Structures are given as C-alpha cells and as structure tokens.
Amino acid sequence: RAGTGANLTGTEGDRVRVAAPGRGSALNGALGTVRFVGVVPGRGAPLVGVELDEARGDSDGVFLGRRFFRCAPKHGLVCRAEE
C-alpha cells in the first residue's frame, strides 16, 4: 500500500476516520480532513491525503518528495483510496 497502508475514501474537505488493518493501533481510528484526492505519478491507484487531528501521521503533506497539501509535521497521511 502507498504511504502508511491505511485505507479510506473521500473528497477534499470531508471528515474521515482512518482504518489501518495490519498496521497496529497507531492510526486506527485517527480522525482527519481530506486535503488531496488524485493520482500520483508512479502510483497506479488513486491516493488520498489526510490532515490528521493529532500528530499520528508521517508527513506534513509531502509524499515521495512532492507537496500535495500543507499541514503541521506528523499530521499528514497519504494512502491508497479504497472504495
């Protein structure tokens, strides 16, 4: 999975709860706001960028060296969108 392996869907501005099966409890249940939805060059599946309410993420909106959105350090998460 891209990013941390968490799965979610949404459109920009939506509030979401992250489900991260197989990743332990660090991200499970994390709440946030969708800040990016789209295809990232080199990644086939659509990805979702989320600004988390708490510092439980792994970025500040940068993924693979490119900025997709802005948020505080450790508040960003980019993952595969699952329907």
Side-chain angles (χ1 to χ4, degrees):
R1 297 185 195 291
T4 63
N7 300 309
L8 52 91
T9 60
T11 58
E12 288 183 40
D14 282 355
R15 294 285 296 161
V16 294
R17 181 180 304 273
V18 176
R23 300 271 313 164
S25 62
L27 287 172
N28 270 333
L31 296 173
T33 303
V34 175
R35 298 295 185 206
F36 168 82
V37 179
V39 176
V40 174
R43 302 286 178 166
L47 299 180
V48 177
V50 178
E51 179 180 1
L52 300 170
D53 293 352
E54 298 176 357
R56 294 167 67 177
D58 59 8
S59 78
D60 62 355
V62 173
F63 180 69
L64 297 176
R66 182 174 166 196
R67 179 162 303 281
F68 290 92
F69 61 99
R70 293 189 182 279
C71 66
K74 302 259 183 202
H75 282 73
L77 169 69
V78 178
C79 56
R80 182 181 292 176
E82 299 288 344
E83 295 189 19

